[in-house]
Structures are given as C-alpha cells and as structure tokens.
Amino acid sequence: MNNGFHPAQPKFIGAIDQGTTSTRFMIFNSKGLLLVSQQEEFEQLHPHPGWHEQRTQDIITSAERCIDKGMTEFRGYGYSTSELAAVGITNQRETFVLWDRRTNEVLHNAIVWTDTRTSALVRGLKSDEGASSLSLKELQSISGLPLSTYPSAVKLMWLLREDENIHRVYMDGELMFGTIDTFLIRGLTGEFVTDSTNASRTMLMNLHKLEYDDDLFGFFDLDRKKIHLPKILPSSSKFGVIQYGPLQGVPIHGCLGDQSAALVGHLGFSPEVAKNTYGTGCFLLYNVGDRPVISEHGLIATVAYHMPLGEHRGPTYALEGSIAVAGSGVNFLSNNLSFGCPHDIDQQAMNVEDNGGVTFVTAFSGLLAPYWIDDIQGTLFGVTAHTQRGHIARATFEAVGFQTKAIVEAMEKDSGRKIDVLAVDGGMSKSDICMQIQCDITGIAVRRPKMQESTAFGAAIAAGVGVGLWTDPESELRTAEIMQMFESDWTEEMRDQKFRRWNKAVEMARGWV
C-alpha cells in the first residue's frame, strides 16, 4: 500500500522530539538522512525539594518555535510543506497534563517523570498492600511496572488528594488526563489520542491487552467513569492532521515514547538488541520480542513499539532499566558547583587517572531500576584534601556506568541471554571518556552511531511506516551502520571490586529521607 505516494515524488518526514528540558523539530529525507534540526529549551520548575514541574504553555510554545524555524530552513532549501509526507511525535514519558473538559483549561503545571513528591504516598501504598484488591506482584504483572514514584498514576492520585480544584473537576466527571504526546497532539490537531508505548507508562494500561484496566484504576482508588482518557492507538497510526502554522494540513502518523523511539531509531527491530540513551536520565531498552517479560529482578516491562513490520502487526515488547540522573548529573556539576560547561567537565575527568577514591551516588530523585530506593539522596563519599574536580567529574560518569551495570545484570537474569553490544545515543554518549568508562564498568562493547539523533529518527520512522514511505526500515535505512566502537581491557576482578564499592556506597546513602 503506497497511500497515494508517487515513487518519483520526493518525500520527507518531520519529527517533533519533546524532551524533558527542550523540544526539537527535525526533518529526514527518504533515505533517513537528517536535513533540518532546530531546538528550543524551556524553563524547569522546582517549587519544593523533589518536585519537578513544567508550564504547559512553555512546552507547546517551544514546539511551535522549533517548527517555525525548521520549516523556514526547509523552505530555504527550496522545498515546500507539500513535500512533507507526515510528522512523527516522540516525548518525555510519564509526564502528564490535566484539563477541565468543559473549559479546555489546563488545571496544573505538567508533573514531570522525575518528580518524587509522592514518596510518602508510595510507601503507604506498599505498606497497605493487604488492603488492596491487587498485590504488588499482581500490579506489576498487569502493568509491567513496579510501584514507585515514577509512573503517572501515583502522581495523579496525589494531585486528586492535594488539589481541591482538580478534585472538584474530577468529582464533576469532567477531568481529562493525558501524557505529553496527548497534550501536543491535542494542541496541534484537536484529537484526544495516545499510543501504546506512552499509555504503558501511566500504570493504567494492561500491558497484555493494550487497554485501560479497571483493576489498575481500583488499586489507585480512581473512578474510571470520572476521568476522560485518550484513545490508545498503535504507534504508526493516523493521530490527526495539524490545524495551524507552517505544518497545517500535514498528518501526524507516528507516536512513540522517547525511549521506544530511540530503540526504533537504532533500527532495533530484532530480539536481543539493546540500546542505552543518555539524556536527563539514562534508559536501557532490550527488545524481548512479541511477548512481555515481567521482570523478577527490578526492571520494567514495557511496549517497545507497535508498528506494522512485515507480517508482524502486533506490539513488540522490551525490558527497560531507568536511571533518574545521567545528563542532569553533569548539569548539576556545571550549574550548582561551577565546574564549567560539559566540555570542561570532560576535560577535568580526563586529566585524572581515576576517581581518587571518590564515589558519587547521584540519587537526586532516588534510585530507579533495579534498586527502586526512595529513602536516599545524592551523596559524595571519599572526599579528602586530595580530591580535585576531575575526581568528582569522573565519579559522576561512573555513577551512570555502575547503575547501567546493575541493569544489565538484571536484564541478563530476566532474559536468560547475555548482552554483547550496547548501542548508545543522547548527549552524554558524545563524550569519549564517559563511553569508555561505561564500557570498562560493564565489560560490554559500546557502539556509537555517527547519527546521534536516534530518538527523533525513531519518531520519523514510525510516521514513515504509517504512511507507507518505508515498509522494511531495517533494510531500507542504514544510518546505524556508521559507528565508533569502545572496548575495555579491564579484568573481571577490577570490575567486580569497583562494583562492590559502588553497592556499599548505595547502602550507606540510604535513610537520609
């Protein structure tokens, strides 16, 4: 099916990449080569310790500005809007927005995935497990997610208890809930929809049926009849047609949560492919095929993508390990401790032979997979009069490496398979010293593609598949073949000794909250 496209007509695919700290708009050609790239950062709000919010107007404005500048660049190359076949959207997951259906008013700032204001609520839900209709194991078996501050549902539960206006709209049966993909699609097209990769992160969707689940609503004491939820669609669907601006008339034909998009952008369509994305946080996804694997070792089961590829029309699943602090740890050194820009921090790390005995447990928002510890805060160990900035910089990179190692070990136990190569992308992956440290700590070869915009590229692939521009992207697109490899000469004894020291630091950092 060619969806009306003439083979000789040049076609391009746009991608809106709405991340935690910035929004991007990119355009790729039919060979998967990047033609246009624009980026707009926006303000992060931290009104109290552990809280993280964003103004919804900042999110949509940043997207509109990127699109305006990107389309100006696109037209400057002699192309027109009519040559864009479709747009794909990828977004920060778990972050959500609430509206009043009667007025279309946004009722609160977006609550961001890193927000940990629900720590006490989560501890209460865990301690009251016997009072619920679902055990914690049953909860994870249905949703794929362990109970934590991470998913959207527990944050929604907190808001309904703490915000009188939101509770009133909920009791009136007029509360609308949507993750950031839904917010953007509704703002651009008027449609109220989501895709299964994003819905799987709310903790309200049955991972096996790809439908909202009454038992999950019951666990969080939510009345499903009082909340309006977006329709769940496959990742390569027609989500709507953009109604205004330079993309007016262009359909949105792809939608993926950001980490799913990065896996697709690495052409990770085969089982046993693993990728690690280093953004604000760090996210390792491992393709497990067409059936979910519910983790016994602290990982998340999630929808990797739901796209018509060959004869396969159903969803593909992944195991995921999430690290709350990756690039944000570098930003902390830069903004809070005046270490300079990321390039300066790289240089400082390279100027020392090792960490000088320093271990930095970067638990600014607790520790996520596979630890799931919320009674912990960021802690520096081993600081002496000898300690230099480079030691702390290296320890910050090592913190990501050690948490990745813990996730890899859990994935290998859950899947029964060994991970041999890790494909990487995201801001921190551009650092040679960080990737070498990652390789040394895990003992796994690191593969860094030349084209680093894997997340946006994944959204573009989903849209391109949706309109029939690509039918077999794994063979039609070869951008992932140009790469740099990192390998380690560490012994297993060195690796184990350093990992034991890290785990000791994690245990010592607990109990501060």
Side-chain angles (χ1 to χ4, degrees):
M1 178 172 139
N2 68 6
N3 290 281
F5 294 128
H6 191 282
Q9 185 177 359
K11 285 296 169 185
F12 299 87
I13 298 288
I16 300 170
D17 178 359
Q18 203 299 297
T20 305
T21 59
S22 70
T23 304
R24 298 182 179 192
F25 177 67
M26 300 182 192
I27 297 176
F28 298 85
N29 70 11
S30 60
K31 295 182 179 180
L33 299 178
L34 180 61
L35 181 69
V36 167
S37 178
Q38 295 291 338
Q39 181 176 9
E40 285 278 335
E41 295 186 351
F42 57 94
E43 186 178 6
Q44 307 300 304
L45 307 176
H46 301 277
H48 302 285
W51 292 31
H52 189 178
E53 300 180 0
Q54 295 164 350
R55 298 184 189 92
T56 56
Q57 188 58 49
D58 290 349
I59 295 171
I60 192 69
T61 299
S62 67
E64 291 169 343
R65 287 175 177 169
C66 281
I67 291 168
D68 286 345
K69 292 191 293 185
M71 289 305 294
T72 298
E73 183 182 352
F74 185 61
R75 288 191 294 264
Y77 295 137
Y79 300 114
S80 65
T81 303
S82 63
E83 292 179 277
L84 272 178
V87 168
I89 283 182
T90 181
N91 56 281
Q92 53 174 318
R93 303 167 304 170
E94 292 94 18
T95 304
F96 68 92
V97 179
L98 298 174
W99 302 263
D100 185 327
R101 190 168 71 102
R102 297 162 296 192
T103 64
N104 202 36
E105 176 191 3
V106 172
L107 297 172
H108 198 280
N109 287 334
I111 305 296
V112 183
W113 61 273
T114 57
D115 190 287
T116 59
R117 71 184 70 184
T118 57
S119 295
L121 176 58
V122 169
R123 288 194 293 272
L125 288 170
K126 288 179 178 179
S127 64
D128 293 341
E129 179 182 2
S132 171
S133 59
L134 291 178
S135 67
L136 295 180
K137 187 171 184 179
E138 289 171 330
L139 181 72
Q140 183 171 356
S141 178
I142 295 170
S143 69
L145 308 174
L147 181 61
S148 72
T149 61
Y150 193 25
S152 312
V154 69
K155 295 178 172 70
L156 172 60
M157 186 181 186
W158 188 93
L159 280 175
L160 287 172
R161 291 183 175 187
E162 300 296 331
D163 190 300
E164 292 182 3
N165 185 42
I166 291 174
H167 185 263
R168 182 167 52 250
V169 176
Y170 166 77
M171 293 304 295
D172 290 343
E174 300 294 347
L175 187 66
M176 296 177 70
F177 166 94
T179 45
I180 293 300
D181 58 308
T182 298
F183 172 70
L184 286 175
I185 292 169
R186 189 165 185 262
L188 293 170
T189 74
E191 302 293 334
F192 191 48
V193 291
T194 187
D195 95 299
S196 54
T197 68
N198 279 293
S200 72
R201 313 302 295 203
T202 62
M203 216 168 186
L204 298 175
M205 188 192 83
N206 186 306
L207 189 65
H208 310 269
K209 298 178 181 179
L210 306 188
E211 299 173 351
Y212 296 115
D213 190 284
D214 288 337
D215 287 335
L216 297 177
F217 278 79
F219 181 88
F220 292 106
D221 196 25
L222 299 172
D223 186 343
R224 186 171 171 182
K225 296 178 182 179
K226 289 184 168 64
I227 303 177
H228 298 269
L229 299 160
K231 182 179 180 181
I232 302 172
L233 299 175
S235 308
S236 292
S237 300
K238 186 173 182 178
F239 291 87
V241 177
I242 296 174
Q243 297 296 306
Y244 67 94
L247 291 179
Q248 185 173 1
V250 178
I252 296 175
H253 251 288
C255 180
L256 291 161
D258 53 7
Q259 303 313 317
S260 290
L263 181 66
V264 170
H266 280 289
L267 307 182
F269 301 114
S270 301
E272 302 182 32
V273 173
K275 74 87 198 173
N276 211 11
T277 297
Y278 303 79
T280 301
C282 186
F283 304 88
L284 202 163
L285 259 68
Y286 182 62
N287 184 328
V288 297
D290 59 6
R291 295 183 180 180
V293 174
I294 304 301
S295 177
E296 298 287 340
H297 299 93
L299 302 179
I300 289 169
T302 193
V303 179
Y305 53 85
H306 189 179
M307 298 160 56
L309 299 172
E311 296 181 358
H312 182 58
R313 291 291 188 270
T316 296
Y317 293 92
L319 279 169
E320 176 177 338
S322 307
I323 299 169
V325 175
S328 58
V330 175
N331 290 340
F332 172 78
L333 299 184
S334 177
N335 299 332
N336 296 49
L337 302 184
S338 302
F339 272 46
C341 69
H343 175 73
D344 296 332
I345 294 168
D346 256 26
Q347 290 298 314
Q348 291 159 10
M350 288 189 288
N351 287 340
V352 294
E353 293 184 1
D354 53 33
N355 62 22
V358 173
T359 300
F360 191 4
V361 180
T362 52
F364 304 153
S365 303
L367 288 180
L368 300 181
Y371 305 97
W372 301 109
I373 302 172
D374 57 13
D375 64 335
I376 189 170
Q377 289 185 333
T379 312
L380 266 171
F381 293 95
V383 177
T384 69
H386 166 72
T387 300
Q388 303 172 27
R389 288 185 176 187
H391 297 134
I392 297 173
R394 184 176 282 264
T396 303
F397 291 150
E398 289 178 351
V400 179
F402 286 126
Q403 290 174 82
T404 298
K405 179 175 173 62
I407 289 168
V408 166
E409 290 186 352
M411 282 184 172
E412 291 178 343
K413 291 175 184 176
D414 280 328
S415 66
R417 301 184 181 97
K418 184 172 177 57
I419 298 174
D420 297 317
V421 178
L422 193 61
V424 299
D425 65 275
M428 285 182 75
S429 72
K430 298 174 183 177
S431 164
D432 287 354
I433 182 67
C434 182
M435 291 301 95
Q436 188 60 57
I437 287 172
Q438 177 72 93
C439 177
D440 288 337
I441 288 174
T442 61
I444 297 173
V446 170
R447 183 184 74 193
R448 183 172 65 190
K450 183 177 180 181
M451 206 288 285
Q452 284 283 290
E453 304 299 345
S454 302
T455 304
F457 188 42
I461 290 173
V465 169
V467 295
L469 186 61
W470 300 305
T471 57
D472 183 13
E474 192 169 8
S475 62
E476 293 167 326
L477 302 169
R478 296 293 184 184
T479 57
E481 289 188 348
I482 303 172
M483 62 191 73
Q484 182 175 353
M485 297 291 293
F486 295 84
E487 296 183 342
S488 176
D489 58 4
W490 279 19
T491 65
E492 283 301 317
E493 183 180 358
M494 290 172 59
R495 200 167 283 123
D496 291 344
Q497 185 270 331
K498 292 177 183 296
F499 193 45
R500 285 195 299 271
R501 184 181 179 89
W502 161 261
N503 285 324
K504 180 181 179 181
V506 168
E507 287 304 311
M508 292 177 67
R510 299 189 67 170
W512 290 98
V513 183

